[in-house]
Amino acid sequence: MRERYASGISDETAKKMIDLLNANLANVIDLTLDGKQCHWNLQGTGFIGVHQLLDETSERILEVSDTIAERIVILGGQPNGLASRVVKESILDDYPTDITEVDQHVRELTSRYKKVAETLREAIATAGDAGDEDTADLFTEASRIVDKDAWFIGANAPKK
Ligand SMILES: [Fe+2]
């Protein structure tokens, strides 16, 4: 383990948190790429609003990945953001390449935000149970951001 800058945490807890943070990092990086894939490929009614919204959500989700990665370093770990690892460990499947319409993309991306939000919410409890309230708080903030953007993106889909 590298130097740990977070004090008052056992090696065991730090190791557990590093693994938990790295698992969520893969999901969040994958979600960031999905957001761009959506931003570039959607077409049709409502295009410009969603396209521009996705510039904002991209910035926010990138910030979430940065916060997660930096907490890993603070805990003495190594953030693993390699593309090969994201592909291997992300819970998300490949973003579909056969959809074009805004509402299809909005539903697709929203469901991905919700999946990642679920893992973040589980991580809040895991970190809290392990006694690392700072990491639990980080996941709480991340979860709140992802929930809100699930709404911002999802509310663009017409009601069925
Ligand atoms: Fe762009």
Side-chain angles (χ1 to χ4, degrees):
M1 203 178 263
R2 298 171 174 191
E3 179 169 357
R4 193 188 321 138
Y5 299 96
S7 306
I9 293 176
S10 69
D11 285 351
E12 193 194 342
T13 302
K15 166 89 174 62
K16 201 174 170 193
M17 292 302 97
I18 289 163
D19 291 346
L20 182 67
L21 286 155
N22 257 326
N24 279 274
L25 181 63
N27 298 337
V28 168
I29 291 173
D30 205 1
L31 186 61
T32 308
L33 296 172
D34 287 351
K36 278 296 181 189
Q37 187 69 11
C38 181
H39 171 77
W40 295 321
N41 284 291
L42 45 73
Q43 289 182 8
T45 309
F47 163 78
I48 196 65
V50 179
H51 176 77
Q52 288 177 342
L53 168 67
L54 294 175
D55 278 333
E56 295 170 25
T57 59
S58 285
E59 275 182 31
R60 286 193 283 268
I61 198 70
L62 192 61
E63 188 66 35
V64 169
S65 66
D66 199 48
T67 306
I68 292 173
E70 287 174 1
R71 180 72 186 160
I72 293 170
V73 176
I74 292 163
L75 288 166
Q78 184 177 12
N80 192 338
L82 295 177
S84 56
R85 183 180 177 279
V86 171
V87 168
K88 199 167 144 227
E89 295 196 16
S90 168
I91 56 163
L92 301 172
D93 298 330
D94 272 0
Y95 194 91
T97 53
D98 60 348
I99 57 173
T100 51
E101 294 302 312
V102 169
D103 63 328
Q104 293 175 305
H105 277 287
V106 161
R107 289 198 174 93
E108 181 63 41
L109 190 59
T110 304
S111 84
R112 285 161 185 268
Y113 263 76
K114 286 182 175 179
K115 272 186 197 158
V116 173
E118 257 181 61
T119 64
L120 290 169
R121 191 172 303 280
E122 283 167 19
I124 298 170
T126 307
D129 290 347
D132 183 355
E133 293 300 331
D134 296 277
T135 298
D137 179 65
L138 182 157
F139 280 127
T140 306
E141 188 192 18
S143 163
R144 197 164 46 232
I145 290 167
V146 172
D147 279 356
K148 186 172 177 183
D149 280 340
W151 166 43
F152 268 39
I153 297 163
N156 288 283
K159 274 190 185 170
K160 275 189 170 170

